[in-house]
Amino acid sequence: DAKTTQPNSMESNEEEPVHLPCNHSTISGTDYIHWYRQLPSQGPEYVIHGLTSNVNNRMASLAIAEDRKSSTLILHRATLRDAAVYYCILSRTSGTYKYIFGTGTRLKVLA
Amino acid sequence: DSGVTQTPKHLITATGQRVTLRCSPRSGDLSVYWYQQSLDQGLQFLIQYYNGEERAKGNILERFSAQQFPDLHSELNLSSLELGDSALYFCASSEEGAPSDTQYFGPGTRLTVL
């Protein structure tokens, strides 16, 4: 079954770029790749999503490998408010499961 | 504030009991999702409804059931509660319930089973 694999934790200095990797080697052709983040004591919030091409929005960029078996969330300038758990998620268009969550990466931003 | 509301915020109950969690989606959203977040299992998708109909089912136990009402609010019913059901339960909503939709999460209901 499809799943995502992420490092348990990462650290970054404030104002520097952060690259958060995700492996989804069992991804299917129509699965979307989503990234959400969860700040302490809050529900997850949307960051970005894509299907095949790289995506940019005001929060981040998403780089998707050509074979789609991995992706990278890029925060261009980390701030202290970006400290959170970042989840890489597949949304499946067929089969039993709709959203497949990885265990998440806890990002620590150092001042 | 995501616009999704969940009640109650906290719930403490005993094993064997039944509880109901309530969710009101963002205005205009037709689809609601339920998730369970526990320390040992992480965030897991339970079930999705779209405009009153079940659309997808994840790792939802048979002791759990959900429904979405005509006014689009949703309820998650948990019965014969066990200690292992203690967790944060999140509701999310989206416009069309499509795989590409952005989901907006509520603040969660923390369930403690003693």
Side-chain angles (χ1 to χ4, degrees), chain A residues 69-84:
Chain A
K69 292 180 185 268
S70 65
S71 62
T72 302
L73 176 70
I74 303 164
L75 307 179
H76 296 287
R77 290 178 67 196
T79 70
L80 296 178
R81 289 178 297 177
D82 292 322

Side-chain angles (χ1 to χ4, degrees), chain B residues 29-95:
Chain B
D29 284 357
L30 298 178
S31 192
V32 293
Y33 310 74
W34 286 98
Y35 294 88
Q36 180 191 58
Q37 185 172 40
S38 56
L39 283 175
D40 59 344
Q41 293 287 329
L43 198 59
Q44 290 199 87
F45 167 71
L46 296 178
I47 198 164
Q48 178 198 5
Y49 281 83
Y50 172 75
N51 206 20
E53 299 290 325
E54 182 183 304
R55 175 162 278 189
K57 188 177 275 192
N59 296 325
I60 188 166
L61 300 173
E62 285 192 12
R63 300 184 285 109
F64 296 0
S65 64
Q67 54 184 325
Q68 185 181 26
F69 295 88
D71 67 353
L72 300 176
H73 91 272
S74 178
E75 292 182 355
L76 178 66
N77 300 297
L78 314 175
S79 61
S80 302
L81 285 168
E82 302 174 359
L83 295 177
D85 298 327
S86 295
L88 263 172
Y89 291 84
F90 288 105
C91 169
S93 72
S94 74
E95 283 187 30

Side-chain angles (χ1 to χ4, degrees), chain A residues 9-10 12 22 25 38 43 45 52 54 57 67 69 72-73 82-83 85 87 92 95-96 106 108 110:
Chain A
S9 63
M10 291 183 66
S12 172
C22 181
S25 58
Q38 188 172 20
E45 65 175 359
T52 56
N54 295 343
N57 66 20
D67 63 5
K69 292 180 185 268
T72 302
L73 176 70
D82 292 322
V85 179
Y87 292 98
R92 172 137 293 183
T96 305
R106 183 174 298 277
K108 185 175 181 180
L110 306 173

